[in-house]
Amino acid sequence: MPEPVTILVDTHNIVAMCCHAYKELTDPMGRPIGGVFGAIKRIQGLINFEIDDVSRVVCVFDRGVPEFRKAAVPEYKANRQKKRSPQDQAFYEGYRLQLKLFPKMIRRMGVATAWATGWEADDVIAALSASTEGRVV
């Protein structure tokens, strides 16, 4: 019997990449939807075509930066822009809107979600990887 495979998705990362890739795609009301479209398409591709024996997919979300990391490395993410150009601000607002839509949409597909308050997705993915049986992608 093949080893079960769990796919852990850094949701903020994949939605952001797809927001850039499909930035012209909008819903009928003109709201940006390319990040959601592209991320779902990518996850479906992983499940259906690229990885054999997928037993579970979990989309992991950021829910803050760990306080210990900010205390240990005060300059952590200090290079992030505080002020954005109007174009960047519009993109960021569209990205945030899509992040709000995404969990509901993927749950309807049967995809699990995970997060831990005060932790980034990378940290949650590391913890899940360590505690998940089988192969983790």
Side-chain angles (χ1 to χ4, degrees):
M1 178 176 215
E3 185 176 38
V5 176
T6 299
I7 299 174
L8 300 174
V9 179
D10 182 337
T11 305
H12 288 250
N13 183 302
I14 194 169
V15 171
M17 287 190 305
C18 293
C19 280
H20 286 285
Y22 297 98
K23 62 185 162 201
E24 303 301 322
L25 190 59
T26 59
D27 70 8
M29 295 189 312
R31 295 176 300 198
I33 198 71
V36 171
F37 169 81
I40 288 173
K41 186 175 177 175
R42 182 67 183 126
I43 291 167
Q44 286 176 326
L46 289 170
I47 294 167
N48 295 330
F49 305 109
E50 296 180 33
I51 300 174
D52 293 329
D53 302 313
V54 174
S55 59
R56 180 169 62 156
V57 178
V58 181
C59 284
V60 183
F61 291 82
D62 292 338
R63 287 292 189 259
V65 176
E67 290 301 319
F68 76 86
R69 188 167 293 138
K70 287 193 262 184
V73 186
E75 64 275 4
Y76 184 69
K77 294 192 178 187
N79 64 337
R80 302 286 170 99
Q81 292 180 352
K82 301 293 184 217
K83 291 187 175 184
R84 296 182 174 93
S85 70
Q87 182 181 6
D88 287 345
Q89 185 62 34
F91 175 86
Y92 183 72
E93 288 171 9
Y95 165 68
R96 287 180 44 153
L97 171 73
Q98 292 177 74
L99 280 176
K100 288 179 184 177
L101 295 172
F102 197 72
K104 184 177 183 179
M105 296 184 83
I106 57 170
R107 282 191 210 111
R108 287 182 178 168
M109 294 171 48
V111 174
T113 58
W115 65 85
T117 301
W119 296 90
E120 293 181 308
D122 293 344
D123 301 305
V124 177
I125 288 171
L128 290 172
S129 295
S131 63
T132 300
E133 290 188 30
R135 198 172 79 164
V136 178
V137 180

